[in-house]
Amino acid sequence: MASSSGDDEFVVLVCSDPNNQIETDISNEEIVISTTDFSTWDYPSTLSFSTFKIQAHRNRLIEESSYFRGLLSGSFSESCLDYISIQWQLETFLNVVRCIFGFRLDITSKNFIPLFQAALYFGVEMLLMQLKSWLSEASLSKDPGLFQIQLEDLIDIWDFGLELDNGFVQEICASYLARNFMWAMSNKIFKDMPYELLLLCVKHPHLTIDSEKHLSDALLIWLHSNTEQLERSSKTECEFFDILKQIRISLLPLWFAAGKRSSISFSELANESVDSIFKLMKVTPKGSMNVLGDGDLSHLRIRLTKYSKKVDLSGCPQITPMILLLSFLPNNHNSYLALRKTIKESASNFEQADGTKCQITQSLLPTLSFEAVLEVDISGCLKLPLEDAIDYFSNSFPFLRRVKAAYLLNFKMTTLYRLIQKCSLVSEVDITVDVNPLISSQLSVISSSSAVVSMAPNRAYFVGDKFSMTSLYHLGPSPSNITKLTLEGRSDVCDSHIQDISKFCASLCYLNLKGCISVTDVCMANLIRRCTKLQSLLVCHTSFGMNSILALCNASPSFSNSPSAQFGKRPLDSLASNLQLLHMGGCKCADEASLLELLSQNQMLKSLCLRDTNLADSALCSFSGSLLEVLDVSNTMISGAALHHVVCTNPGLKCLNARGCKNLFQPENTKKEAKISSSYSCEELFIELGKTCRLEEIALGWGLSYFSLQALKPAILSLRAMTVCLGGTLPEDSLRLLPTTCPLLESLVLYFQVISDCMIINILTSLRQLRTLALCYCFGDISNSSFNLSMPNLRILKLERVTPWMTNNDLVLLTRNCANLVELSLLGSKLNSDAQCIISHGWPGLISLHLEDCGEVTENGVSSLFNCIALENLLLRHNGSGIQRNFILEAASKMPMLRQVSLDVCDAKEGDFDLPDDADRYSLRIVKIARCKSTRCNVGSHFADTTRKPLHRETLVLVWNSTNVVRTVVKERL
């Protein structure tokens, strides 16, 4: 039909979808709508029609669309018609028309591509601008819920941009992926990322990652998942693996680089990384000039962008102030020149010939500020002076909230005060160290002495060890923002420190004092009364006792010298009634009466640990809470009836540890508690667990049997970790059914169980996600066929007194099938000295190694084991008397992350070992040297003859902290 002339004349756009598959009663109907009524459209119902007839202003179409401009104002036959037929996806075309007539569209990552295609086809510049604007805003958004582009959509958009050769779309996609790389690498479809997009992202200046380890892991996962693509591609394999060269290998954690030396695709870079790490560790501040050189220093820069939220440097002993400063400077030549000049000027102020006292002043350099950084982890950064680090963090991370500096003995309490002063917004601090092994009250101490650790003098700009809370209050605001403080293992923390903490950390919600053996019960009680917001309290293996419990149970701040006089009063506003987490394992100072009072007020508890305490049925039955998720009552005298009572009232229980409870399934005591039914049977506990709970972790011994496991079935379908201990008797049939009963199991620990090849093979074949396997003192005959299958996910393996047949050949088989182990414990085998080489080559990334009664492993000394450079825990006992006298010193220097060493004088080649002093112990925290009654005995050649096995006499234990070293001799074998 011919059109009439006029400015307001309409044209009817008849739009249908050639691919429309709607099968409804109205699928053949059409709807007539007008662009003048857009605001009144019922959009969802409109889309249900198969054909649209849209009345639209002709001139508006001509003005906003090059397609309609050519069609309606050119020489085409349609230019004189009032009806124009359009074949397009209906919703997309409807949005195109809405955009033409001035409506803002709801653009998402799902409709971006079809809208972009339509905008290009119909030549709607306004829509193209909206789409580009949306993509830019979505890629820049810091809110993960706002404009979030899902990874699968991002890949589709990238492919679309690549097809169009649209550089804008490709750059936006790469930039978005770079900024959100940590999110993307955790996505299951990360492996489907196009190589070109991944490469552009990794090279992007906005690449934001927590650490180089995360980037390495992501790239290796991608490469291993795209083996077939590599084979089909026209690119050579080397071209694909070139992407690994983007990793800054000098900044990888030592344990990670060491472990990857056995990786086929990463071994060359891993070796380069290890060499670089050790070179950087040897560099003094004076030698920094040589490291900086005159070239590009990007490979030494920690990746920091304005989007960085977390900086993870844990496990990097090579990090120095120079590397930190370099990372805080603008990435340009002038900044490098300024840093070199500053170091050169500082070199003239050396206090020692080796230059260890060089002070590099940050204020003289044009450092940047990274306001998004909220969290820093410098655990194990041995070369990083903490005072320097705190100064740098305060300037470059002004909104820092969380600091973790674990396993650094030089982190003193004065250092903590400085951190709080300089970084006033910090709310969480973790300065954990290994817990002193001499915490058990059952140890028989023969002798004990301590000596002050000789510390290097502080630099002039640092206030030193006399830096007190008084000076802190003068230098900065007295109250701090600390709400979570972890001091685990800090035996150097004493009452005066806790008193200071109670003053400047009044807002504490979480406090971990586990292993703080120098803090008294009275001092902890005073802290509890001051910190009234406490919700989580971890005081395992401390003096926590009746005074602290009284402080928790009483609302009144007044303190009584007679705790028992206050028990029985139960105020509604006591601290105990608000606790959500209470761990007091090993606290023998709390008697039964105080525990009863405490548990009767713990209504809100979600996690409770009473391991190795004086817990009795009366106290456990007084527990008034119903929200428990974690319960540890191991090694206590409770009965099954009392535990049954708690299980009945806490259906949300997820983790239960009741190992070592010898009374758990014994006949009840003659004295009954009112809450315990006299008709209770031991099966009721498992029946109740099966009916009520959905467990994720369980550890049981006495009373566990085939029948109890059957009753537990409904509760353990989602079980992740299982430990069966002494007293538990699971027949082979039960163990064989574990993969069916607990299909999600990741950790399996068996003590004193009957095992067989068939059972182990079934478990390892079916539980492919198993990460921890421990077979300790088990019975039955197993052979190397049990481990003759690939277990790539296994990380921890303990074989103690179950493989007396194991030889070097069996060990080689184990390295091939369990290639990714990080912890290995072997007790009782027939290895020889070549086993050292097998272990160090097969598992170069081990962090824990225990070898005891393993033949003649150390008969010719220790050499190849030094290649396990990432070891943190090493035990070598009764493996042959060839260990050199200076072994501890050599191990500490060649294994810089080594924190614990356990040896036996029987293995000493010269009958004794040299002990390290403060200057050459590196990370060493604990040294344990056992001595047998026969000081010279070679058990390696007489392994099978148990009558010749030496008898233990005593153990020397050395424990270092930030202030002193304690030397203790105990009768027990530790």
Side-chain angles (χ1 to χ4, degrees):
M1 182 172 65
S3 65
S4 58
S5 62
D7 292 340
D8 295 328
E9 62 181 296
F10 286 89
V11 62
V12 177
L13 307 177
V14 183
C15 182
S16 59
D17 187 348
N19 300 317
N20 192 5
Q21 300 295 325
I22 298 178
E23 296 180 1
T24 64
D25 293 338
I26 60 173
S27 62
N28 294 321
E29 295 185 10
E30 62 183 26
I31 183 173
V32 179
I33 51 181
S34 173
T35 55
T36 58
D37 301 326
F38 265 137
S39 59
T40 62
W41 281 10
D42 183 357
Y43 195 66
S45 62
T46 301
L47 295 177
S48 64
F49 289 86
S50 60
T51 302
F52 298 159
K53 287 187 176 180
I54 306 174
Q55 292 181 339
H57 289 279
R58 179 189 295 266
N59 287 346
R60 182 73 175 186
L61 291 174
I62 293 172
E63 289 172 1
E64 300 297 337
S65 167
S66 60
Y67 173 87
F68 289 113
R69 187 179 308 122
L71 193 65
L72 298 177
S73 61
S75 58
F76 295 102
S77 59
E78 287 86 347
S79 62
C80 59
L81 297 178
D82 289 335
Y83 286 85
I84 298 176
S85 178
I86 302 292
Q87 297 286 312
W88 208 267
Q89 201 275 332
L90 297 180
E91 182 178 2
T92 301
F93 183 73
L94 194 59
N95 278 320
V96 171
V97 175
R98 293 178 70 204
C99 179
I100 288 175
F101 285 86
F103 283 81
R104 189 79 181 176
L105 303 184
D106 182 18
I107 302 173
T108 68
S109 59
K110 299 295 183 185
N111 65 16
F112 176 84
I113 293 178
L115 284 175
F116 207 108
Q117 290 172 325
L120 290 174
Y121 183 86
F122 292 104
V124 183
E125 191 63 31
M126 183 188 303
L127 179 54
L128 286 173
M129 290 176 61
Q130 281 192 37
L131 289 166
K132 291 181 179 180
S133 175
W134 174 86
L135 190 60
S136 296
E137 291 177 12
S139 66
L140 292 173
S141 173
K142 296 183 179 180
D143 184 350
L146 183 64
F147 297 128
Q148 185 66 60
I149 305 175
Q150 296 303 310
L151 190 57
E152 56 267 31
D153 298 327
L154 182 74
I155 293 174
D156 290 339
I157 293 173
W158 161 269
D159 289 336
F160 174 70
L162 196 64
E163 181 182 342
L164 295 178
D165 196 21
N166 188 308
F168 169 79
V169 172
Q170 295 175 55
E171 167 58 26
I172 290 292
C173 287
S175 176
Y176 179 80
L177 182 61
R179 284 191 289 267
N180 298 281
F181 192 83
M182 295 298 296
W183 159 77
M185 65 174 285
S186 63
N187 195 298
K188 62 181 180 181
I189 68 166
F190 177 80
K191 62 182 184 300
D192 299 327
M193 188 84 61
Y195 175 78
E196 290 77 9
L197 172 58
L198 184 61
L199 181 61
L200 195 60
C201 161
V202 171
K203 291 183 175 181
H204 201 280
H206 288 162
L207 177 62
T208 304
I209 52 177
D210 292 351
S211 71
E212 289 299 311
K213 169 198 166 298
H214 290 93
L215 176 61
S216 305
D217 272 335
L219 295 183
L220 287 172
I221 289 172
W222 187 92
L223 287 168
H224 295 158
S225 300
N226 287 271
T227 304
E228 293 184 5
Q229 179 185 344
L230 299 179
E231 294 173 351
R232 295 193 305 265
S233 174
S234 58
K235 291 184 174 66
T236 65
E237 184 174 336
C238 290
E239 286 180 281
F240 274 102
F241 280 90
D242 275 349
I243 196 172
L244 294 177
K245 294 181 180 178
Q246 300 302 317
I247 299 170
R248 297 174 183 179
I249 57 175
S250 297
L251 302 179
L252 287 172
L254 178 59
W255 64 267
F256 181 84
K260 293 302 178 183
R261 288 185 297 179
S262 60
S263 168
I264 297 176
S265 56
F266 201 73
S267 58
E268 184 177 344
L269 287 176
N271 285 321
E272 291 180 20
S273 175
V274 169
D275 291 342
S276 178
I277 290 170
F278 274 88
K279 286 179 182 178
L280 288 172
M281 286 184 64
K282 295 176 182 178
V283 173
T284 63
K286 184 177 181 180
S288 298
M289 291 293 295
N290 298 327
V291 175
L292 291 175
D294 297 320
D296 182 25
L297 301 177
S298 296
H299 66 289
L300 291 177
R301 291 176 61 93
I302 301 165
R303 294 184 200 263
L304 289 169
T305 72
K306 62 181 179 181
Y307 307 98
S308 298
K309 294 182 179 180
K310 180 178 179 180
V311 179
D312 185 358
L313 302 175
S314 60
C316 295
Q318 72 274 25
I319 298 298
T320 63
M322 182 269 292
I323 291 178
L324 277 186
L325 278 178
L326 180 63
S327 307
F328 295 155
L329 295 174
N331 190 10
N332 55 53
H333 183 65
N334 290 335
S335 298
Y336 299 159
L337 290 177
L339 180 58
R340 293 186 183 102
K341 180 181 178 181
T342 302
I343 293 177
K344 186 176 182 180
E345 292 174 351
S346 301
S348 61
N349 298 321
F350 287 156
E351 295 179 12
Q352 294 181 357
D354 62 357
T356 56
K357 297 297 172 183
C358 176
Q359 176 187 349
I360 304 174
T361 306
Q362 186 180 13
S363 59
L364 301 178
L365 297 168
T367 53
L368 301 174
S369 177
F370 302 92
E371 298 183 355
V373 173
L374 302 177
E375 182 175 356
V376 169
D377 190 345
I378 55 172
S379 301
C381 293
L382 309 178
K383 290 281 289 181
L384 187 61
L386 295 171
E387 294 75 29
D388 289 349
I390 291 171
D391 287 343
Y392 299 163
F393 294 160
S394 66
N395 289 325
S396 292
F397 303 149
F399 295 101
L400 189 62
R401 294 293 194 278
R402 294 177 292 278
V403 174
K404 185 173 182 180
Y407 309 117
L408 297 174
L409 294 185
N410 58 332
F411 199 117
K412 300 183 178 183
M413 293 305 293
T414 49
T415 313
L416 175 63
Y417 303 155
R418 183 177 184 82
L419 172 65
I420 294 172
Q421 173 204 343
K422 301 286 287 186
C423 304
S424 59
L425 295 181
V426 167
S427 60
E428 298 180 16
V429 178
D430 183 350
I431 53 174
T432 297
V433 296
D434 296 297
V435 174
N436 190 328
L438 302 174
I439 53 178
S440 174
S441 60
Q442 300 176 359
L443 291 176
S444 303
V445 178
I446 299 175
S447 65
S448 182
S449 62
S450 65
V452 176
V453 173
S454 59
M455 301 298 292
N458 293 293
R459 282 167 291 196
Y461 71 88
F462 180 51
V463 291
D465 289 341
K466 295 183 180 180
F467 183 73
S468 64
M469 288 312 303
T470 302
S471 61
L472 172 64
Y473 290 132
H474 289 164
L475 293 173
S478 54
S480 76
N481 289 304
I482 299 293
T483 59
K484 184 174 182 179
L485 180 60
T486 300
L487 303 175
E488 182 172 323
R490 290 280 170 177
S491 56
D492 51 336
V493 174
C494 60
D495 283 3
S496 61
H497 298 135
I498 296 300
Q499 291 170 7
D500 291 337
I501 288 172
S502 67
K503 294 175 184 177
F504 70 80
C505 297
S507 299
L508 271 180
C509 298
Y510 176 104
L511 178 62
N512 184 348
L513 295 176
K514 179 181 177 181
C516 294
I517 56 179
S518 301
V519 181
T520 65
D521 182 32
V522 172
C523 185
M524 278 187 273
N526 290 333
L527 178 140
I528 289 169
R529 276 189 291 272
R530 284 179 174 270
C531 301
T532 57
K533 297 181 181 180
L534 272 177
Q535 294 181 341
S536 300
L537 187 60
L538 296 88
V539 288
C540 297
H541 304 294
T542 66
S543 299
F544 182 87
M546 291 189 291
N547 291 297
S548 298
I549 291 176
L550 180 61
L552 284 171
C553 294
N554 283 350
S556 172
S558 62
F559 179 74
S560 171
N561 291 326
S562 177
S564 59
Q566 298 294 330
F567 287 149
K569 299 180 180 181
R570 300 183 180 181
L572 297 176
D573 57 346
S574 68
L575 273 174
S577 63
N578 294 319
L579 281 180
Q580 296 182 17
L581 183 150
L582 175 61
H583 289 189
M584 50 177 293
C587 294
K588 299 289 188 178
C589 297
D591 61 12
E592 183 178 343
S594 59
L595 286 174
L596 187 151
E597 182 70 20
L598 176 61
L599 293 179
S600 68
Q601 296 191 36
N602 290 143
Q603 297 94 339
M604 305 301 293
L605 273 183
K606 294 183 179 180
S607 181
L608 175 62
C609 174
L610 298 167
R611 178 186 68 250
D612 289 305
T613 62
N614 296 314
L615 180 67
D617 284 1
S618 57
L620 189 59
C621 286
S622 70
F623 179 65
S624 55
S626 59
L627 304 174
L628 270 186
E629 297 178 1
V630 178
L631 176 62
D632 185 349
V633 291
S634 56
N635 299 327
T636 61
M637 302 301 292
I638 63 165
S639 70
L643 186 56
H644 176 266
H645 166 73
V646 175
V647 170
C648 287
T649 55
N650 290 271
L653 195 64
K654 296 179 181 178
C655 304
L656 174 62
N657 188 344
R659 59 188 294 182
C661 297
K662 296 182 179 180
N663 292 344
L664 203 57
F665 299 101
Q666 298 295 325
E668 297 90 342
N669 297 326
T670 56
K671 183 179 178 180
K672 301 285 184 178
E673 295 300 326
K675 296 181 181 179
I676 303 178
S677 170
S678 60
S679 61
Y680 169 81
S681 66
C682 62
E683 305 333 356
E684 292 181 32
L685 172 61
F686 291 112
I687 294 173
E688 188 63 35
L689 279 168
K691 289 193 306 182
T692 306
C693 305
R694 293 296 177 266
L695 296 172
E696 296 178 2
E697 297 181 20
I698 190 169
L700 288 171
W702 299 98
L704 186 62
S705 65
Y706 172 82
F707 299 104
S708 52
L709 192 65
Q710 294 301 308
L712 274 175
K713 268 188 176 181
I716 58 178
L717 283 173
S718 301
L719 201 67
R720 303 279 182 179
M722 182 177 191
T723 301
V724 182
C725 306
L726 179 64
T729 53
L730 291 183
E732 187 175 339
D733 290 343
S734 296
L735 293 173
R736 191 181 293 119
L737 290 174
L738 274 183
T740 303
T741 310
C742 314
L744 303 180
L745 211 58
E746 296 178 1
S747 173
L748 179 61
V749 180
L750 302 177
Y751 287 91
F752 300 101
Q753 301 302 301
V754 178
I755 59 176
S756 67
D757 281 338
C758 182
M759 181 271 290
I760 296 176
I761 291 172
N762 180 59
I763 288 176
L764 296 180
T765 302
S766 304
L767 298 176
R768 303 305 296 169
Q769 71 278 15
L770 200 66
R771 298 176 64 86
T772 300
L773 177 64
L775 304 174
C776 306
Y777 301 91
C778 291
F779 312 104
D781 294 324
I782 64 171
S783 65
N784 60 2
S785 60
S786 292
F787 305 99
N788 196 17
L789 65 158
S790 178
M791 295 170 279
N793 292 322
L794 201 64
R795 296 293 185 271
I796 300 173
L797 179 62
K798 296 183 179 181
L799 302 174
E800 300 181 356
R801 299 297 183 195
V802 294
T803 57
W805 41 262
M806 181 175 286
T807 64
N808 287 10
N809 291 334
D810 302 317
L811 192 62
V812 170
L813 182 67
L814 210 56
T815 62
R816 293 172 181 169
N817 292 325
C818 307
N820 296 313
L821 288 186
V822 294
E823 295 186 25
L824 174 67
S825 178
L826 297 177
L827 201 166
S829 64
K830 297 180 179 179
L831 306 177
N832 62 34
S833 58
D834 292 338
Q836 292 187 42
C837 187
I838 297 171
I839 291 172
S840 61
H841 280 79
W843 299 300
L846 282 178
I847 61 173
S848 177
L849 176 62
H850 288 195
L851 299 176
E852 184 170 358
D853 287 338
C854 288
E856 302 177 346
V857 175
T858 58
E859 185 65 29
N860 298 321
V862 176
S863 54
S864 298
L865 279 185
F866 288 132
N867 292 324
C868 295
I869 55 176
L871 275 176
E872 299 174 3
N873 188 326
L874 176 62
L875 183 149
L876 298 173
R877 284 178 173 169
H878 292 168
N879 301 303
S881 55
I883 302 181
Q884 49 271 41
R885 187 182 184 92
N886 68 340
F887 170 75
I888 299 176
L889 308 179
E890 192 173 2
S893 63
K894 293 183 177 180
M895 304 171 180
M897 309 303 289
L898 191 63
R899 303 197 307 270
Q900 298 187 48
V901 175
S902 302
L903 302 172
D904 197 300
V905 175
C906 292
D907 297 336
K909 185 177 182 180
E910 300 179 31
D912 208 347
F913 296 105
D914 292 333
L915 300 177
D917 56 27
D918 303 320
D920 52 17
R921 64 177 176 81
Y922 291 82
S923 296
L924 270 184
R925 154 80 167 160
I926 299 168
V927 172
K928 294 182 285 188
I929 302 177
R931 186 186 302 272
C932 296
K933 290 186 177 179
S934 174
T935 57
R936 289 309 305 258
C937 53
N938 182 359
V939 299
S941 59
H942 304 287
F943 175 76
D945 186 2
T946 57
T947 62
R948 300 288 298 276
K949 189 173 180 179
L951 297 176
H952 175 75
R953 186 174 77 180
E954 61 191 22
T955 304
L956 169 66
V957 182
L958 284 84
V959 180
W960 283 268
N961 58 37
S962 66
T963 59
N964 59 20
V965 55
V966 179
R967 177 187 177 118
T968 307
V969 179
V970 296
K971 289 183 178 180
E972 290 75 15
R973 182 176 175 85
L974 297 178

